[in-house]
Amino acid sequence: MLRLAATSLCLRCRRVPSLGLRTRPCASLSQSENQETVAALYDLSVDIQKVRKLKGWVLYRSPAYAKEVAGLLKDMGASAAVVARILATHPEAVLHDPEQVRSQKEVWMSVCPSQKELVGIIEKFPASFFTSASHWDNQRSNIAFFQHLNLNKRVITKLMAGAPQSFSRPVEQNQEVVCTLQQTYLELGGEEANMKVWLQKLLSQNPFVLLKPPEVLKQNLMFLRGRGFSTAQLLRLLSKLRGFVSELNPDSMRRSLAFSQDAIGCTEAELRDIVLKCPALLYYPESTLAERFGALLGAGISVPQITDSPTVLELTPQIVNYRLRQLEARGYDIRSGGLDVLNGTKKDFEKSFGKLQLRGERPLFNPVAPLRGDD
């Protein structure tokens, strides 16, 4: 029954129509710099030396539309400084016909909440916005496909910005990957009612999962099933790994698991529990694990402590040493106090450290001590 549900989802995915769009002619290459382009970039305060050093070929192309493209970016709300940064890091933008830039803006605004956010995306991911016109058919078809899945517009925008390759390829390839993810989710016991939220989270956390062959996901899950992980545990791992399960392979996981088990000295069942707490053990290479185990043990942290809080292995030795110095300065003994305060992101640590600091500064009240009065 689950397979039928997943099959119907895949069939629905393939009904999305493909929209046609015209392409632009190629710019010609001159033997000398296009002085009009150079002058326009100077007027826009663009770092010409940076352009010459990194992508000097752009300055030899004609026609170019530096003023027009800059004007369109300003119309979207970009400041002069932002325009200069965009054209310095991605000068190819000036080779795009203004009409094509307007068309791209319309496409992006179909999923982007506001022009302000679009300007922010262009500044961070200019190559994702200024794409070749030859990819526009695929781009529009892929947008229609993800909209058909009822994904949040912000998620679609994030996919377009972070993994533009997935929108430049035929929509059928994304349909195959998404259908594999959906089918896997259902076969592992996930509920169809929660599948859209799960898929959104997975894609937003790792957009590059779309670029991996579906067979890789199946092979990795088969390997983990062979290591004794239950269906429910595999679903937890699939969610916790944030799509990175498609970037693993059985050989590397086998080596990493063998090293961790040898370093900790645990059984297969205990190792599975540790991996569920810290899925990073599956994708850290042996050299990284050796360095991190060594740093923790060298700091006086015991193996049982690491087993209880294995996510401490996600911290680099440099971070561990810095945090230990901070904690020791407050009189905290990591060997007897536990690793929870050491764990987490920078924000998590600062919050935990702040609580320790407040606790150390707060005076103790002794109810039987005499009150000090005026003489």
Side-chain angles (χ1 to χ4, degrees), residues 44-47 74 77-88 119 123:
L44 294 165
S45 300
V46 175
D47 187 343
K74 289 177 180 178
S79 66
V82 168
V83 171
R85 284 197 295 271
I86 291 172
L87 297 184
V119 169
E123 185 178 6

Side-chain angles (χ1 to χ4, degrees), residues 82-104:
V82 168
V83 171
R85 284 197 295 271
I86 291 172
L87 297 184
T89 56
H90 193 76
E92 304 98 305
V94 305
L95 303 180
H96 287 256
D97 184 282
E99 284 302 316
Q100 295 174 343
V101 177
R102 290 189 186 94
S103 296
Q104 270 294 84

Side-chain angles (χ1 to χ4, degrees), residues 106-120:
E106 290 176 8
V107 171
W108 278 79
M109 287 306 298
S110 68
V111 291
C112 198
S114 68
Q115 288 194 154
K116 182 179 179 181
E117 290 197 29
L118 179 55
V119 169

